[in-house]
Amino acid sequence: DDIDFFIIVKKNTLFISRFLILLFLEGLGVRRSHNQKNTANTICVNLLIDETSLLWRKDHRDFYTAREIAQVRPLFARMDMYQQFVKANTWIEQFVPNVRFTDSYKVKEQESMLAKVFEKLFVHALSEYFFRILQMSFIKRHQTKETATKHILAFHPNDYRVKSLQQLR
């Protein structure tokens, strides 16, 4: 099937980050599109959050979500973001007490000059607002059970959580 990506981005960069990520994946020809039938060897960016939303929602703290979080394997982490995410969600140990988190590949902490220039030019409140309005209008037209807020984008139209928890009970 496809490869699911969970991405944590800097505060106030969720929508511009999503736009750039999807543009990059589209350019590589590996982006999974909405309602695509043959999804083999495609990438689905189905969960994006910003750093203000590391702690998982209380109403979704259950065995299914704990197992999903325990299965996350980081490709890399800036500013120890993966470790911060793990620390924010220690509640999963109630459901999967033997979980062992992997170390993530840490990228250099110092931001490059190019990154600083990019942020100054494109990632400020106005551009993030523009990309949020643009993308939310598209998301809302196709929205079923997905979550779309200023800080969280979760694209799971087929929510297996409820069914899995019912079967477990």
Side-chain angles (χ1 to χ4, degrees), residues 62-89:
D62 50 45
F63 178 77
Y64 180 83
T65 305
R67 186 186 58 80
E68 289 287 302
I69 290 173
Q71 293 182 91
V72 168
R73 294 296 172 254
L75 297 177
F76 68 89
R78 290 183 70 208
M79 311 293 283
D80 289 325
M81 193 53 58
Y82 175 69
Q83 286 73 21
Q84 289 180 48
F85 175 72
V86 167
K87 284 179 187 174
N89 292 288

Side-chain angles (χ1 to χ4, degrees), residues 30-115:
V30 295
R31 177 180 172 228
R32 179 180 177 180
S33 61
H34 187 71
N35 294 327
Q36 183 176 346
K37 299 297 180 208
N38 181 11
T39 60
N41 300 317
T42 60
I43 295 175
C44 180
V45 182
N46 58 3
L47 184 58
L48 290 103
I49 65 173
D50 74 17
E51 62 188 331
T52 66
S53 299
L54 296 179
L55 180 60
W56 215 260
R57 295 175 19 186
K58 281 188 179 183
D59 62 334
H60 279 67
R61 292 184 195 173
D62 50 45
F63 178 77
Y64 180 83
T65 305
R67 186 186 58 80
E68 289 287 302
I69 290 173
Q71 293 182 91
V72 168
R73 294 296 172 254
L75 297 177
F76 68 89
R78 290 183 70 208
M79 311 293 283
D80 289 325
M81 193 53 58
Y82 175 69
Q83 286 73 21
Q84 289 180 48
F85 175 72
V86 167
K87 284 179 187 174
N89 292 288
T90 57
W91 61 267
I92 74 167
E93 293 171 0
Q94 299 170 32
F95 298 97
V96 284
N98 296 327
V99 67
R100 298 290 176 258
F101 293 101
T102 61
D103 287 331
S104 59
Y105 173 73
K106 296 177 184 175
V107 295
K108 205 161 133 183
E109 296 293 326
Q110 183 180 354
E111 286 189 86
S112 69
M113 181 60 80
L114 181 62

Side-chain angles (χ1 to χ4, degrees), residues 3-45:
I3 301 166
D4 292 336
F5 273 30
F6 167 36
I7 300 172
I8 304 171
V9 300
K10 196 173 184 178
K11 179 182 175 180
N12 296 323
T13 67
L14 186 67
F15 288 91
I16 194 159
S17 295
R18 178 177 182 261
F19 175 79
L20 294 172
I21 291 164
L22 295 182
L23 188 66
F24 178 72
L25 294 175
E26 192 71 39
L28 292 176
V30 295
R31 177 180 172 228
R32 179 180 177 180
S33 61
H34 187 71
N35 294 327
Q36 183 176 346
K37 299 297 180 208
N38 181 11
T39 60
N41 300 317
T42 60
I43 295 175
C44 180
V45 182

